[in-house]
Amino acid sequence: VWAIDQLAVEHPDLVTEVLAAGADAREAQQAVAGGARNGEDLLLASARVREAVEAAVRAATTVLGRSGRGTTDQTARRLRITLQAAVSGGARERMALWRGTLDRDLEPTGFGTPDAIEADAPELAQVLAPLRRRTSGQRDRSAPVRSRQESDLVARHAAERAAAEQDKAAERARGVATTKRQHAQRLAEQARAAQDEATAAEQAAEAAETAARAARPVRDR
């Protein structure tokens, strides 16, 4: 989940592609269920979802590797499942994926019945609109205008997420510094106590030596 959330910061284009493909798949499913289209559009949209998810999985694996965390086939499987589940889940999960705020692994539930499909939040729908391929792989004709809006919006959210990550990193650094300072203080206190004990031991030794010297004449007599 951490690696997927990092994609929202480092590769927002991959995240929006996954979400746009999912939006097309939901729309195609609704159209097929309503008899407005045959299954070809749904097959194409589903294939696009798989391709987008695989690209995101590869990028998330790279993020994990760069952070020093090892990856396995099981890790890639969990990444894939969570991405697919977010896309096919409710509007809340899709928004969390876009914002980089997923906090747990997800399990796929399918796109659900057409009547039960939740619409994306207007803010997210605006970002995805230029990437949608509503009919026969054609994009919205207003894409050039919306693309600029999308770029500004994506850049703003990416900057906000990057700032949040920097805040978290700074907070972690402060925590580490506090812990090290407390450790250093404990060591200093232990050193002072050891110094005091050493001084007391030296004084006791000197007193014992003095007493011994004072006792020698008495024994000699």
Side-chain angles (χ1 to χ4, degrees):
V1 171
W2 174 83
I4 291 173
D5 285 343
Q6 284 298 109
L7 294 183
V9 177
E10 300 184 22
H11 302 285
D13 55 323
L14 294 179
V15 174
T16 52
E17 175 64 15
V18 169
L19 290 167
D24 285 344
R26 292 192 301 275
E27 186 177 87
Q29 183 188 34
Q30 288 178 312
V32 169
R37 296 188 203 170
N38 58 31
E40 183 179 354
D41 285 336
L42 180 55
L43 290 174
L44 291 173
S46 298
R48 184 186 173 202
V49 170
R50 289 193 297 272
E51 292 175 359
V53 166
E54 288 305 315
V57 168
R58 289 193 295 272
T61 300
T62 299
V63 169
L64 284 171
R66 193 171 61 244
S67 68
R69 296 172 173 84
T71 57
T72 63
D73 291 342
Q74 177 66 11
T75 303
R77 177 176 174 274
R78 291 307 309 168
L79 289 168
R80 188 176 297 107
I81 288 174
T82 295
L83 283 165
Q84 292 171 339
V87 170
S88 61
R92 179 179 298 179
E93 287 77 14
R94 297 194 296 272
M95 182 62 78
L97 175 59
W98 180 52
R99 288 178 171 170
T101 56
L102 284 175
D103 58 1
R104 68 188 187 283
D105 286 357
L106 301 178
E107 295 295 337
T109 58
F111 287 108
T113 62
D115 292 339
I117 294 175
E118 295 180 276
D120 285 316
E123 184 180 16
L124 178 55
Q126 181 184 17
V127 169
L128 299 182
L131 306 175
R132 298 288 303 279
R133 301 172 184 174
R134 290 185 172 82
T135 57
S136 304
Q138 297 299 317
R139 298 192 179 201
D140 194 328
R141 291 181 179 178
S142 61
V145 174
R146 291 180 178 175
S147 180
R148 288 192 295 272
Q149 295 174 341
E150 178 208 7
S151 298
D152 292 343
L153 197 56
V154 169
R156 176 164 60 83
H157 279 281
E160 291 173 354
R161 287 189 289 265
E165 285 297 319
Q166 290 295 329
D167 289 341
K168 291 179 183 178
E171 184 176 353
R172 289 193 295 269
R174 283 194 294 271
V176 171
T178 299
T179 300
K180 289 185 177 295
R181 183 176 296 278
Q182 291 172 345
H183 181 62
Q185 290 173 344
R186 286 194 295 271
L187 291 177
E189 291 172 358
Q190 292 172 359
R192 285 195 294 271
Q195 181 66 35
D196 292 342
E197 291 174 358
T199 300
E202 290 172 352
Q203 292 173 346
E206 291 176 358
E209 291 173 355
T210 300
R213 286 194 298 271
R216 286 192 193 101
V218 173
R219 288 200 301 270
D220 292 343
R221 290 194 300 271

